[in-house]
Amino acid sequence: MTQSLYQLLTDEDVRRDEAAILRRLTAIAAEKRANEVKLLNYYKEVPITTGASIESVDRGVVEMTVNKLQAAAMLKQKMTFIKSPHLAHNVTAKVERVQMDKNRVFLSQFSYAAIRAERRKSARVKINAKREATFRVGKVMLTGLIRDISIGGVSIITPKGVIFPPNVKGTVSLSLGLLSKIFLPARLIRVDDDDSGSNFFAFEMEMDAKNEKILTKFIFEQQRIILTELKDTL
């Protein structure tokens, strides 16, 4: 699912673009410019972004000193985004190696990228706990588990079976806790295959003030849980 976060860009061609990126990173390292490189990762849809220092560039591999939490996210995601005003675009890179004890990472395979995730209207979180969700159109009901959720959007994992036509409207119900279930008008916007072989259905939900408050509190709590989980790996 990582590639859903971004789209590759090309200025000239893949080889020349990577060479240009490496030249700029080499120049930043030589000039020892502080606070001019930031890294961005998405751990379970939660953005993790901190500053980084370039230590060396050698034969296509860039060594950086990074924040420990960032290193943990990079180790999980196996890639990172590099952001700097000195680069023509945002850059995606493969994480070759992480030295957690030294807060060092080694990156390769650089490409320009547009980060789709940055265009999201609201924060999104991945849900690991089994929280039931349904989508009902008339007497036909789809039942599954919440995959990820944001204010105004939710995706539901289901076994392959029930299929609805695109843009069909109905009602989504979401179980957010032992005593919390909300019902919202929703429109199906996409159906795709999940990595596990199941289907996932993405919905756009119509929010009201009461349910938006409930969802905001739920998402904030999920973000806290996810960040605690990541910190616990350190």
Side-chain angles (χ1 to χ4, degrees), residues 8-88:
L8 292 176
L9 301 176
T10 304
D11 267 4
E12 295 185 63
D13 58 45
V14 173
R15 184 180 59 81
R16 290 177 180 175
D17 285 355
E18 182 171 38
I21 293 166
L22 288 168
R23 283 196 299 271
R24 292 310 307 149
L25 294 177
T26 300
I28 294 170
E31 294 165 18
K32 299 188 182 301
R33 293 173 173 173
N35 303 316
E36 296 199 359
V37 173
K38 290 187 179 296
L39 301 180
L40 169 64
N41 285 84
Y42 288 87
Y43 179 66
K44 296 187 176 179
E45 303 288 355
V46 176
I48 312 291
T49 183
T50 59
S53 299
I54 301 172
E55 302 299 334
S56 67
V57 181
D58 182 29
R59 291 174 289 184
V61 176
V62 176
E63 179 183 356
M64 292 186 179
T65 298
V66 302
N67 175 276
K68 194 173 287 291
L69 188 67
Q70 194 80 47
M74 295 168 75
L75 187 61
K76 295 287 187 181
Q77 201 177 1
K78 311 300 184 189
M79 57 81 63
T80 193
F81 297 109
I82 305 171
K83 301 168 71 71
S84 172
H86 303 289
L87 294 167

Side-chain angles (χ1 to χ4, degrees), residues 110-153:
F110 302 89
S111 299
Y112 291 128
I115 306 173
R116 292 193 185 107
E118 290 190 316
R119 300 199 291 264
R120 293 171 180 168
K121 295 179 182 179
S122 58
R124 181 187 300 179
V125 290
K126 187 175 181 181
I127 307 299
N128 282 342
K130 292 185 177 180
R131 298 191 181 274
E132 188 175 276
T134 66
F135 178 64
R136 184 186 294 273
V137 179
K139 295 182 179 180
V140 182
M141 186 170 71
L142 176 79
T143 301
L145 299 174
I146 301 174
R147 177 176 175 269
D148 57 63
I149 193 166
S150 64
I151 301 298

Side-chain angles (χ1 to χ4, degrees), residues 45-220:
E45 303 288 355
V46 176
I48 312 291
T49 183
T50 59
S53 299
I54 301 172
E55 302 299 334
S56 67
V57 181
D58 182 29
R59 291 174 289 184
V61 176
V62 176
E63 179 183 356
M64 292 186 179
T65 298
V66 302
N67 175 276
K68 194 173 287 291
L69 188 67
Q70 194 80 47
M74 295 168 75
L75 187 61
K76 295 287 187 181
Q77 201 177 1
K78 311 300 184 189
M79 57 81 63
T80 193
F81 297 109
I82 305 171
K83 301 168 71 71
S84 172
H86 303 289
L87 294 167
H89 307 282
N90 293 324
V91 167
T92 179
K94 178 183 177 183
V95 176
E96 291 286 351
R97 185 157 50 99
V98 177
Q99 293 180 335
M100 292 297 295
D101 58 329
K102 297 180 179 179
N103 296 339
R104 292 288 176 93
V105 297
F106 298 82
L107 308 177
S108 67
Q109 298 182 28
F110 302 89
S111 299
Y112 291 128
I115 306 173
R116 292 193 185 107
E118 290 190 316
R119 300 199 291 264
R120 293 171 180 168
K121 295 179 182 179
S122 58
R124 181 187 300 179
V125 290
K126 187 175 181 181
I127 307 299
N128 282 342
K130 292 185 177 180
R131 298 191 181 274
E132 188 175 276
T134 66
F135 178 64
R136 184 186 294 273
V137 179
K139 295 182 179 180
V140 182
M141 186 170 71
L142 176 79
T143 301
L145 299 174
I146 301 174
R147 177 176 175 269
D148 57 63
I149 193 166
S150 64
I151 301 298
V154 66
S155 65
I156 300 172
I157 300 176
T158 70
K160 292 188 175 180
V162 178
I163 296 294
F164 290 105
N167 296 309
V168 67
K169 293 183 178 180
T171 301
V172 159
S173 72
L174 305 172
S175 297
L176 303 181
L178 292 176
L179 301 175
S180 180
K181 179 177 272 193
I182 62 176
F183 298 83
L184 292 163
R187 177 175 65 90
L188 177 64
I189 56 175
R190 191 172 81 257
V191 181
D192 209 340
D193 292 328
D194 187 71
D195 294 339
S196 64
S198 301
N199 280 341
F200 78 85
F201 292 75
F203 299 92
E204 181 180 66
M205 302 182 295
E206 295 181 24
M207 303 301 302
D208 56 43
K210 177 184 176 182
N211 285 320
E212 183 171 342
K213 184 176 180 180
I214 292 170
L215 262 186
T216 299
K217 182 178 179 181
F218 175 76
I219 289 170
F220 179 81

